[in-house]
Amino acid sequence: MGKGIGYGKVILFNEHFVVYGVPSIVSAIDKATTATVERADGTGWTLDDRRHATPGYKEEKLEQQKESVERILKAAGIDTMKNPIKITLAGDLVAASGIGASAASCTAIARALSDEFNLGLSDERINELAYEGEKGYHGTPSGIDNTAATYGGLIWFVRGQPNMMERIKIKRPVEVVVGNTGLVANTKAAVAGVRERREKYPEKYNKIFKEAEELAHKARRALEAYDIKKVGELMDENHKQLQAIEVSCRELDFLVELARKQGAFGAKMTGGGLGGNMVALTPGKELQEKVACAIEGEGFEALRTKIGV
Ligand code: MEV
């Protein structure tokens, strides 16, 4: 049996902007999806998805998941008509929008295939396969999610030819809370919406994109200096920019406000938006617990994790 793992992630700065080559910052989290690949009878492949999920997520993503698996198999050069397999997904990462669930599963599947078929794939190649798989979900992903899912850690990511990835080192990991709106979001549609509006209102969008780029540099400096207060302020600012490009929603704004009121150093939506998850910067176990409990008290799921692990 072949086995593989892919990490979940939170984008700390510049989701959406990253699609256009604006620098972004992403952190893997300590939750992951695992995959196994076993030889099976018959022909083709089957998938047993045992991940804990936001209600409706798996159903909504089923067709995209099929396309994604087909893409990974093709890129890996595996013909399941000759070599039938059963894929099983599990792990402690909730299958939800905004925390890199699709990318984590793609990376995990790529690794499990490499293991089962003795392909000996490097991380670089696993990342490429996971990117192929991500296209099934996103259409034109920037590559940020699969990069975090494959390599882990805290990453400065710039989309380009080729993509640029640098590790950001921080003194100690910082506690965060990831709050789930419970809404299954369609990243493809969110990305397409930004593209449309960017073409329609070039002046407005160019200005916001420029500000987002400056903000990423400030955020990197603040993280490296371990100025957590500043990092939080910049997350708040980034949330405003994301609101301005219309990818937030009422539920995300509500959770962001709630976290700030409870003392979070900063909070913002994370990932594709229009539902999915938000992230609050809550250094120390006590503050983390306070913010997580407040979110749960309002009937939402909260994940306690860390960035920079
Ligand atoms: C989704 O996690 C992040 C987006 O920026 C899309 C992408 O980068 O491919 C919204």
Side-chain angles (χ1 to χ4, degrees):
M1 182 199 283
K3 290 183 181 169
I5 188 168
Y7 304 105
K9 63 97 210 332
V10 286
I11 297 182
L12 292 173
F13 295 98
N14 283 349
E15 46 273 275
H16 286 285
F17 301 107
V18 65
V19 172
Y20 301 88
V22 175
S24 58
I25 299 177
V26 60
S27 179
I29 57 175
D30 59 357
K31 301 279 180 279
T33 294
T34 58
T36 58
V37 167
E38 296 162 85
R39 304 296 175 130
D41 298 328
T43 53
W45 57 272
T46 56
L47 194 146
D48 180 9
D49 194 344
R50 297 189 188 163
R51 293 173 299 170
H52 172 57
T54 293
Y57 179 92
K58 289 183 193 172
E59 295 75 12
E60 178 94 20
K61 305 279 172 186
L62 196 60
E63 283 311 307
Q64 297 182 356
Q65 187 179 49
K66 277 187 196 155
E67 187 186 334
S68 169
V69 172
E70 289 290 351
R71 283 178 171 277
I72 298 172
L73 287 166
K74 188 160 180 240
I78 294 165
D79 180 356
T80 55
M81 285 307 178
K82 289 190 196 124
N83 296 297
I85 55 169
K86 178 186 172 195
I87 303 167
T88 304
L89 292 178
D92 59 0
L93 179 69
V94 180
S97 304
I99 50 168
S102 62
S105 71
C106 291
T107 297
I109 292 170
R111 285 204 169 114
L113 288 170
S114 175
D115 192 23
E116 177 58 27
F117 289 93
N118 295 316
L119 304 176
L121 302 181
S122 63
D123 276 353
E124 198 183 342
R125 189 72 193 118
I126 292 289
N127 197 24
E128 283 169 9
L129 257 52
Y131 181 70
E132 268 310 304
E134 273 284 88
K135 287 184 190 165
Y137 291 97
H138 283 204
T140 51
S142 66
I144 186 172
D145 291 7
N146 48 280
T147 299
T150 303
Y151 294 99
L154 186 58
I155 296 168
W156 171 264
F157 179 87
V158 188
R159 184 185 196 189
Q161 297 285 348
N163 294 336
M164 201 260 269
M165 166 197 153
E166 281 172 6
R167 287 206 177 276
I168 298 179
K169 292 214 169 21
I170 58 171
K171 236 192 305 187
R172 280 189 303 281
V174 189
E175 288 79 7
V176 295
V177 175
V178 180
N180 190 347
T181 61
L183 301 173
V184 178
N186 184 338
T187 305
K188 217 181 215 173
V191 171
V194 173
R195 188 172 299 279
E196 235 169 69
R197 292 187 291 278
R198 188 169 175 261
E199 278 163 19
K200 206 162 160 196
Y201 312 108
E203 236 170 81
K204 175 182 171 192
Y205 273 64
N206 285 343
K207 184 167 172 283
I208 304 169
F209 273 56
K210 182 110 201 22
E211 286 165 5
E213 173 151 14
E214 284 162 14
L215 186 128
H217 290 278
K218 284 187 204 159
R220 181 175 182 164
R221 282 197 294 274
L223 279 164
E224 284 170 344
Y226 210 71
D227 185 348
I228 301 305
K229 191 164 166 279
K230 183 79 190 164
V231 174
E233 284 168 16
L234 294 168
M235 284 170 69
D236 287 345
E237 230 175 277
N238 203 207
H239 185 68
K240 270 194 214 138
Q241 293 164 341
L242 290 159
Q243 283 175 318
I245 61 167
E246 297 179 41
V247 287
S248 190
C249 65
R250 201 161 43 87
E251 293 80 357
L252 282 167
D253 292 345
F254 172 75
L255 291 179
V256 162
E257 261 319 303
L258 179 66
R260 288 179 189 153
K261 276 196 198 122
Q262 296 299 317
F265 281 35
K268 63 182 277 289
M269 56 160 272
T270 186
L274 304 180
N277 281 275
M278 51 71 71
V279 57
L281 192 66
T282 54
K285 282 261 170 261
E286 210 177 299
L287 180 58
Q288 184 184 43
E289 204 47 38
K290 190 174 175 214
V291 171
C293 287
I295 289 174
E296 287 165 348
E298 291 290 340
F300 296 91
E301 275 187 26
L303 175 71
R304 296 148 176 86
T305 183
K306 285 178 184 174
I307 55 159
V309 279

